[in-house]
Amino acid sequence: MSLIVQKFGGTSLGTGERLQNVARIVQSGTTDHQSIVVVSAMSSYTKAEGTTSRLLEAGQQALANGPFFRILDLVEQAHFEALEQAIPDPEIQEEIREFVHQELQALKSFLDAIHVIREISPRSQDLIVGTGERLSARLLSGVLRSMGVEAEYTDLSEILSNGGDTNDEAFYQQLQHAIRAKLPSTHCVPVVTGFIGFVPGGIIERIGRGYTDLTAALIAAELQAEELQIWKEVDGIFSADPRKVPNAHVLDAISPTEAAELTYFGSEVIHPFTMERAIQHKVAIRIKNTFAPEKPGTVIVPEGMDDDALATRRLQNRVAVAVTTKNHVRVVNVNSNRMLHASGFIGQVFDAFRKHKVVIDLISTSEVNISCTIDKSDRLDELVEDLGALGDVTLKHDRAILSLVGEGMQAHVGVAGRMFSALASAEVNIELITQGASEINISCVIQQQDAATAIQAVHQHFLEG
């Protein structure tokens, strides 16, 4: 029987009704395949109201001598309400109620200690955050059991007790093996915590809020799953943000390189670490909608698009698959005549960015000018001061990066010209242009106020009709 790893996000689990919906999705597949379920912490409608955000807030309140216990009482209340709605069996209900209460009592004691010492280390923050996934995994396992599905709560919170280097391939290999050893050997549905333990520097800082996706990918890679399913609140990956482009449509399939470009330049497709682990092990990734499970979603094909799929795109005149924007970026310009024929000048500029840990998105150079786009940074003033020693520095705020993505662009002449003509017709001014070496992404910088107009114009020209 084939193996499917299913990861469910926090909003998919946020109420008793939603927990039952997820349990039905899992239950419906148990006759066709073996399932392993990975969960995030429960959330309602926004991240700010979610369990993880509340736990982080409780930690900060403990640090600031605030009422952290009240926040934890809200977390407890939300989980009690969900289990009462989702689990009719009083015995299972009471068992999980006691688990939730004990977990949060332990966390209150831990935050009491933080309140005394007035310090939260990255390890402490990881311990606080990990509570959320333990609660949701325990709760969902109980819902499944109440529906007659043999499910087993599986806690991975101590897999990374000694930490590791998240940039090291050997670290991920060891982690995968450790997870395999922790999974139950009996024929059941493991319901697994997305939290995997302490990461040096903090799991959110080093990996991000998508660390539960990474856990699911590690399991899928280690066990050579047929498919990794990421269940979200959207029908799949769209050709553009449907909130900005009414005619945006769901893509049936894309390649890993296309997905990576879309993720980097603004689309919330999938965490890059997640995709890397799954694709390296030839595991297909499918994005599906928890609230419309009958829809096929979008599959990220591990081997990339085959000849037939590319031929179909060509017949449809689809040289691109999607257009996206990365909003509210800034442009840093460094102008200096010392650049002309000077060896090592660009290296000095990059050294300044590296020193202040400012990440560059796009870069364009001429004989005497370097232009870079950057995201938010709290060390911008120091960076500008250091760059000022190399040349005249100017900053442009309120800019956006518009990116057109698609493997079909490699085989077509004039795509950039068509894109810029579409923007000119919409009266959108272009300030900076780059094209990646892979030739599947053309990006340009525009004013933020023009972003909505620009994405609609490019989508209409390339992806409609």
Side-chain angles (χ1 to χ4, degrees):
M1 186 178 288
S2 62
L3 172 65
I4 303 292
V5 178
Q6 299 173 301
K7 184 267 173 178
F8 292 93
T11 51
S12 297
L13 306 161
T15 65
E17 181 182 2
R18 294 181 184 185
L19 281 161
Q20 288 182 328
N21 180 54
V22 166
R24 283 192 292 270
I25 291 171
V26 175
Q27 182 185 44
S28 67
T30 53
T31 56
D32 300 323
H33 55 254
Q34 181 185 355
S35 293
I36 296 177
V37 178
V38 182
V39 295
S40 298
M42 284 175 56
S43 185
S44 52
Y45 295 96
T46 65
K47 282 186 177 179
E49 297 175 347
T51 302
T52 299
S53 294
R54 282 178 168 170
L55 293 175
L56 289 171
E57 183 187 356
Q60 291 304 312
Q61 288 292 331
L63 197 62
N65 198 28
F68 65 86
F69 54 90
R70 294 180 184 171
I71 299 172
L72 297 186
D73 286 343
L74 288 174
V75 172
E76 184 172 70
Q77 180 183 346
H79 285 77
F80 282 174
E81 289 176 357
L83 73 88
E84 288 169 3
Q85 294 169 2
I87 302 174
D89 186 314
E91 186 175 337
I92 297 176
Q93 190 180 112
E94 184 56 33
E95 174 190 319
I96 296 174
R97 183 190 299 275
E98 181 63 20
F99 177 89
V100 171
H101 181 71
Q102 291 298 330
E103 282 286 322
L104 291 174
Q105 283 298 115
L107 183 55
K108 283 181 180 179
S109 298
F110 184 68
L111 293 183
D112 267 329
I114 286 175
H115 165 71
V116 172
I117 65 174
R118 299 293 174 89
E119 179 184 353
I120 293 183
S121 67
R123 180 182 287 272
S124 297
Q125 182 164 282
D126 280 359
L127 289 171
I128 294 168
V129 168
T131 304
E133 278 83 20
R134 287 195 296 276
L135 299 180
S136 60
R138 191 70 178 84
L139 196 51
L140 180 58
S141 68
V143 178
L144 285 164
R145 285 166 51 208
S146 72
M147 296 173 62
V149 177
E150 188 179 348
E152 184 171 332
Y153 165 70
T154 306
D155 183 9
L156 300 184
S157 294
E158 296 183 3
I159 289 291
L160 269 180
S161 57
N162 295 320
D165 183 357
T166 56
N167 294 318
D168 185 1
E169 174 64 24
F171 161 75
Y172 289 109
Q173 292 293 337
Q174 293 170 5
L175 181 54
Q176 287 179 198
H177 299 336
I179 290 174
R180 176 193 281 268
K182 188 72 173 179
L183 292 172
S185 56
T186 58
H187 184 72
C188 66
V189 176
V191 183
V192 182
T193 62
F195 180 73
I196 51 177
F198 171 65
V199 173
I203 197 166
I204 291 179
E205 180 67 25
R206 295 302 306 271
I207 297 176
R209 292 287 284 262
Y211 62 81
T212 53
D213 286 3
L214 174 60
T215 302
L218 290 167
I219 295 171
E222 176 66 17
L223 301 180
Q224 287 292 287
E226 179 181 312
E227 191 169 272
L228 166 61
Q229 296 177 350
I230 306 293
W231 291 80
K232 301 165 76 75
E233 296 74 50
V234 294
D235 292 339
I237 300 172
F238 282 79
S239 57
D241 187 338
R243 296 168 297 184
K244 301 172 185 175
V245 182
N247 292 329
H249 57 273
V250 177
L251 305 171
D252 58 349
I254 61 173
S255 71
T257 50
E258 289 169 336
E261 294 287 345
L262 289 172
T263 298
Y264 189 78
F265 287 104
S267 293
E268 294 184 4
V269 176
I270 191 170
H271 195 289
F273 287 179
T274 300
M275 189 161 58
E276 180 182 20
R277 300 314 306 169
I279 297 305
Q280 277 187 2
H281 292 79
K282 307 299 181 185
V283 177
I285 305 171
R286 188 178 297 273
I287 313 298
K288 286 181 67 71
N289 191 339
T290 311
F291 306 111
E294 72 281 359
K295 295 185 177 180
T298 302
V299 62
I300 303 174
V301 184
E303 296 84 3
M305 305 304 295
D306 59 26
D307 292 341
D308 290 342
L310 292 174
T312 300
R313 286 185 181 180
R314 285 192 290 270
L315 287 173
Q316 296 172 341
N317 197 29
R318 291 281 196 262
V319 299
V321 295
V323 57
T324 187
T325 55
K326 188 170 187 176
N327 298 310
H328 302 293
V329 301
R330 284 168 281 194
V331 178
V332 180
N333 291 311
V334 183
N335 188 280
S336 176
N337 289 327
R338 283 176 285 164
M339 282 182 62
L340 194 61
H341 307 305
S343 174
F345 186 89
I346 293 178
Q348 294 179 59
V349 172
F350 287 166
D351 284 342
F353 280 93
R354 187 182 304 110
K355 173 184 174 182
H356 298 289
K357 298 181 180 180
V358 177
V359 178
I360 297 172
D361 292 324
L362 300 178
I363 182 167
S364 179
T365 65
S366 67
E367 286 86 351
V368 295
N369 189 82
I370 297 176
S371 296
C372 305
T373 63
I374 62 172
D375 212 337
K376 296 177 182 178
S377 172
D378 56 5
R379 301 183 66 177
L380 185 58
D381 291 342
E382 295 95 325
L383 172 65
V384 170
E385 183 178 351
D386 279 5
L387 291 174
L390 302 174
D392 296 325
V393 181
T394 57
L395 277 175
K396 295 181 180 180
H397 298 272
D398 295 321
R399 296 304 194 263
I401 299 172
L402 178 77
S403 298
L404 182 67
V405 175
E407 288 193 353
M409 292 192 292
Q410 294 174 310
H412 281 75
V413 176
V415 176
R418 290 169 56 193
M419 176 178 170
F420 302 146
S421 295
L423 292 172
S425 298
E427 299 184 349
V428 175
N429 184 50
I430 300 170
E431 298 185 1
L432 187 154
I433 301 167
T434 68
Q435 181 169 13
S438 63
E439 298 183 359
I440 71 163
N441 173 13
I442 300 173
S443 296
C444 60
V445 174
I446 58 177
Q447 292 194 38
Q448 182 62 52
Q449 65 188 23
D450 293 331
T453 300
I455 195 171
Q456 290 172 14
V458 173
H459 189 276
Q460 182 178 29
H461 185 85
F462 285 96
L463 298 162
E464 296 179 25

